[in-house]
Amino acid sequence: MSDKNLVIAVIACFAVAIAFFLVIVWEINKSIKFDRKVRTEQAQQKQITIEDNRDFSIYETLVGDDGREMVLVPEGVFSRGSNDGDFDEKPPQEVYLDAFYVDKYEVSVEAYNKFRKAANYVEASVPFFEGEHELLKHPNVPQVGVSWYDATNYCTWAGKRLLTEAEWEKAARGTHGLAYPWGNEMLPRRANIHGTADGYQYLSPIGSFPMGRSVYGVYDMAGNVSEWVEDWYDQFYYQEAPMMNPTGPEDKKNRVFRGGSWDSTKVDVRAAKRFAATPGRKDSVVGFRCGKSVEK
């Protein structure tokens, strides 16, 4: 090889080495920038949580027979229904309810499995779910694949009952008729609804959205899973319902469920929104929580 070719080869090798070094430096710099971005976003998320300075300690709590925490919703009047919603949400009216307790969290897979084991009860079943079925078995996600009868049986076993529809709505929106548990606008990081902007495509672990708590400190009353309540459904019920401790109509075809789910739009997770289905329905968007009357 001539001296000229040798020099060219050395220069080429040196250029390749320099280019390789610059690529490494670029990749390291990109990694550092990405890490800083992630840390900034995490810090912002933590700050959002810190800024929720509502005092939930003012509401009495107790532990139910199933070992799960419940929150006291005081007696009094609240605004039920909405003029901005569907026909069955009208007319809005002031309704009085006696004090009651509500589960702080939706009933989890772990809690439901304890019930199943103790009562030798049938396993929950989901006819169709577009995601991985293993997600539905995670101990800290809400139990789905349960009918109204299953939910009722769990609550009875736990020394509780399903909430009435009116109780559920008061626990979700407080006394002033908020559109959502946290306020009157749909805000980020408040609920697990349709899409992945909230960080979840399907079910999220229970309690993942502390900023979405209701005024009583109750979690996930918008999104994640809808929740069975005690009442039969009648689209005209609000027009004739009593103003004190309403318990719903008698002997209808469908039972009510509330709250919207991970597959719902922001309109359908409003606290006044009503849904109905046959009591035997089981699917991936409906779960439940329990309530309990205050002993007098």
Side-chain angles (χ1 to χ4, degrees):
M1 180 182 293
S2 67
D3 291 343
K4 181 178 180 181
N5 289 338
L6 179 61
V7 170
I8 293 173
V10 170
I11 292 174
C13 290
F14 184 77
V16 170
I18 292 295
F20 184 72
F21 176 77
L22 291 175
V23 168
I24 292 176
V25 171
W26 180 76
E27 289 290 346
I28 292 174
N29 187 55
K30 185 172 69 171
S31 178
I32 291 173
K33 287 182 178 180
F34 179 78
D35 183 67
R36 287 175 179 171
K37 179 181 178 182
V38 170
R39 290 176 182 274
T40 300
E41 290 176 349
Q42 290 176 340
Q44 289 174 344
Q45 291 176 357
K46 291 178 180 178
Q47 184 61 34
I48 286 173
T49 301
I50 291 171
E51 289 173 357
D52 184 6
N53 57 3
R54 294 175 293 173
D55 183 9
F56 300 114
S57 66
I58 62 175
Y59 298 108
E60 177 186 331
T61 62
L62 63 77
V63 176
D65 293 349
D66 56 354
R68 302 177 64 251
E69 188 176 6
M70 307 187 80
V71 178
L72 177 67
V73 177
E75 66 178 338
V77 174
F78 84 103
S79 297
R80 181 179 72 170
S82 173
N83 274 325
D84 299 324
D86 298 329
F87 174 81
D88 62 356
E89 300 171 31
K90 304 171 184 178
Q93 62 182 162
E94 300 297 299
V95 172
Y96 171 87
L97 294 177
D98 292 334
F100 63 94
Y101 288 95
V102 56
D103 281 348
K104 190 173 183 177
Y105 302 98
E106 294 164 328
V107 173
S108 66
V109 168
E110 180 180 27
Y112 195 77
N113 282 338
K114 290 179 180 178
F115 155 66
R116 286 187 54 241
K117 183 177 180 180
N120 193 28
Y121 200 76
V122 296
E123 188 175 359
S125 60
V126 176
F128 173 77
F129 178 57
E130 59 191 49
E132 292 290 336
H133 273 73
E134 289 302 310
L135 172 61
L136 306 182
K137 299 178 182 179
H138 192 284
N140 197 37
V141 300
Q143 180 65 66
V144 294
V146 288
S147 68
W148 179 89
Y149 302 107
D150 297 330
T152 298
N153 289 337
Y154 174 95
C155 292
T156 300
W157 168 80
K160 306 177 184 181
R161 58 175 175 78
L162 285 177
L163 295 165
T164 67
E165 185 177 14
E167 287 174 337
W168 189 98
E169 189 165 333
K170 182 177 182 180
R173 66 194 309 206
T175 58
H176 300 300
L178 298 175
Y180 299 99
W182 55 85
N184 287 318
E185 295 183 12
M186 188 65 190
L187 299 172
R189 300 188 183 92
R190 282 355 187 238
N192 177 18
I193 64 174
H194 182 73
T196 58
D198 49 56
Y200 299 94
Q201 184 174 4
Y202 303 112
L203 298 171
S204 59
I206 287 171
S208 295
F209 297 89
M211 289 290 288
R213 283 175 286 182
S214 76
V215 296
Y216 304 107
V218 183
Y219 286 77
D220 295 323
M221 299 206 78
N224 214 9
V225 297
S226 298
E227 301 171 11
W228 288 114
V229 297
E230 175 64 27
D231 301 29
W232 290 104
Y233 173 76
D234 183 343
Q235 62 178 326
F236 303 108
Y237 181 66
Y238 283 14
Q239 298 179 19
E240 57 187 31
M243 296 181 65
M244 296 188 65
N245 297 310
T247 56
E250 296 182 2
D251 300 327
K252 298 294 180 178
K253 179 180 179 181
N254 296 319
R255 294 282 184 177
V256 177
F257 61 95
R258 301 292 298 262
S261 74
W262 56 265
D263 196 36
S264 298
T265 66
K266 65 180 183 180
V267 174
D268 286 344
V269 297
R270 292 178 302 105
K273 177 69 177 178
R274 307 174 71 201
F275 302 92
T278 58
R281 171 178 172 174
K282 297 184 178 184
D283 61 35
S284 62
V285 299
V286 182
F288 69 102
R289 76 177 76 223
C290 302
K292 186 179 180 70
S293 302
V294 174
E295 296 181 3
K296 297 181 178 181

